[in-house]
């Protein structure tokens, strides 16, 4: 079993350190690490430190640094514009896409989104996405923590602007004839993929995105849920870009 990963604000600069706070509590009390076991500390920005536990305290662990690594940022960069979904479907999508390797998730207030992020509710919902991505990144042992965009969400106009600036942009649509598996991909830059909410992407939204430079694509014959479509598309892109 691979060593557990803990996210820290800053990596230790010396030969030893103490992991405390919420992550230290998780290491000592929840995972019950013991002296001699290995762990990984990551800053979520590509830096990783491999350490060996030397002592366990009440809610903290002392660590001896045994290795350092710098992981380059992925290029091309994979961005998913995720239509806001009702219930926990959005969080399920965020969790799975983070584990697959998404680099940024943008909450999109689509016309057919049942859930609407308004006022404090919107910011709380976005924070749940951020928390979900953080925990999934730890589970997946990721060196780079995916960003969650939006303030707290993005409008169709804002999404169109993002698509027009991308190296490549795609819209998942069940009526598209072009397959994502055969679409042209850039060697670098940002690849932006739009996933609709439960009710799908409206014709007006699709037309707006196509006019902004996006290509409508499909995955296969099956129509996937909003919580799984982005995961499937990222899997296709990850294989084609030799991430996998």
């Amino acid at each position: 079993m691979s060593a557990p990963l803990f996210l820290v604000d800053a990596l230790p600069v010396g030969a030893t350190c103490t992991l405390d706070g919420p992550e230290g509590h998780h290491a000592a009390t929840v995972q019950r690490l013991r002296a001699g076991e290995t762990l990984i500390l990551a800053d979520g920005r590509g830096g990783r430190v491999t350490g060996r536990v030397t002592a366990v305290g009440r809610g903290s662990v002392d660590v001896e640094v045994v290795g350092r690594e710098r992981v380059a940022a992925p290029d091309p960069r994979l961005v998913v514009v995720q239509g806001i979904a009702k219930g926990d479907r959005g969080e399920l999508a965020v969790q799975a896409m983070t584990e697959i390797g998404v680099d940024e998730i943008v909450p999109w207030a689509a016309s057919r989104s049942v859930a609407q992020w308004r006022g404090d509710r919107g910011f709380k919902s976005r924070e749940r996405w951020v928390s979900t991505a953080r925990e999934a990144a730890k589970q997946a042992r990721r060196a780079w923590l995916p960003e969650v965009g939006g303030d707290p969400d993005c409008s169709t106009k804002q999404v169109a602007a993002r698509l027009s600036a991308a190296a490549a942009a795609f819209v998942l649509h069940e009526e598209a004839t072009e397959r994502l598996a055969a679409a042209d991909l850039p060697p670098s830059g940002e690849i932006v993929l739009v996933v609709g909410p439960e009710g799908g992407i409206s014709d007006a939204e699709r037309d707006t995105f196509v006019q902004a430079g996006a290509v409508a694509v499909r995955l296969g014959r099956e129509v996937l849920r909003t919580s799984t479509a982005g995961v499937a598309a990222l899997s296709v892109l990850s294989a084609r870009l030799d991430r996998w």
Side-chain angles (χ1 to χ4, degrees):
M1 183 176 178
S2 58
L5 183 145
F6 301 92
L7 287 168
V8 294
D9 293 333
L11 295 174
V13 295
T16 62
C17 68
T18 297
L19 179 65
D20 52 16
E23 294 289 76
H25 170 78
H26 190 77
T29 307
V30 180
Q31 295 211 352
R32 297 185 178 182
L33 295 182
R34 296 292 180 261
E37 294 189 287
T38 301
L39 55 72
I40 299 170
L41 303 178
D43 60 10
R45 300 179 297 277
R48 290 163 55 109
V49 163
T50 301
R52 182 181 297 109
V53 177
T54 57
V56 179
R58 186 182 295 274
S60 67
V61 294
D62 294 336
V63 180
E64 175 191 7
V65 175
V66 297
R68 297 179 182 273
E69 179 185 17
R70 180 70 190 175
V71 179
D75 186 33
R77 190 167 182 267
L78 298 179
V79 179
V80 174
V81 176
Q82 175 67 52
I84 296 173
K86 64 181 180 181
D88 63 353
R89 291 180 181 176
E91 291 167 43
L92 290 173
V94 169
Q95 177 182 353
M97 289 191 296
T98 299
E99 293 175 3
I100 292 294
V102 71
D103 298 304
E104 183 178 352
I105 303 168
V106 179
W108 169 39
S111 62
R112 294 176 178 172
S113 289
V114 176
Q116 299 293 321
W117 288 8
R118 296 289 183 265
D120 290 342
R121 176 184 177 182
F123 288 102
K124 290 178 181 178
S125 296
R126 182 186 177 278
E127 284 306 307
R128 283 197 295 270
W129 282 28
V130 171
S131 178
T132 298
R134 180 183 176 88
E135 293 306 309
K138 290 167 58 178
Q139 174 66 34
R141 312 316 195 249
R142 289 189 54 167
W144 285 89
L145 185 65
E147 298 179 30
V148 177
D151 189 25
D153 53 17
C154 287
S155 66
T156 296
K157 181 179 180 180
Q158 290 172 315
V159 171
R162 185 70 179 267
L163 297 176
S164 66
F170 303 102
V171 180
L172 291 184
H173 199 279
E174 61 190 73
E175 296 178 0
T177 56
E178 184 168 346
R179 296 184 302 119
L180 180 60
D184 292 333
L185 300 179
S188 63
E190 194 168 84
I191 299 175
V192 183
L193 179 76
V194 181
V195 179
E198 297 97 325
I201 297 173
S202 70
D203 291 342
E205 289 168 335
R206 181 190 59 188
D207 293 344
T208 297
F209 295 155
V210 170
Q211 290 172 8
V215 177
V217 294
R218 67 183 303 159
L219 292 170
R221 296 180 181 275
E222 296 77 15
V223 178
L224 303 181
R225 291 178 180 269
T226 185
S227 56
T228 56
V231 179
L234 285 170
S235 300
V236 172
L237 293 174
S238 295
R240 294 193 60 197
L241 294 170
D242 291 329
R243 286 194 176 197
W244 286 8

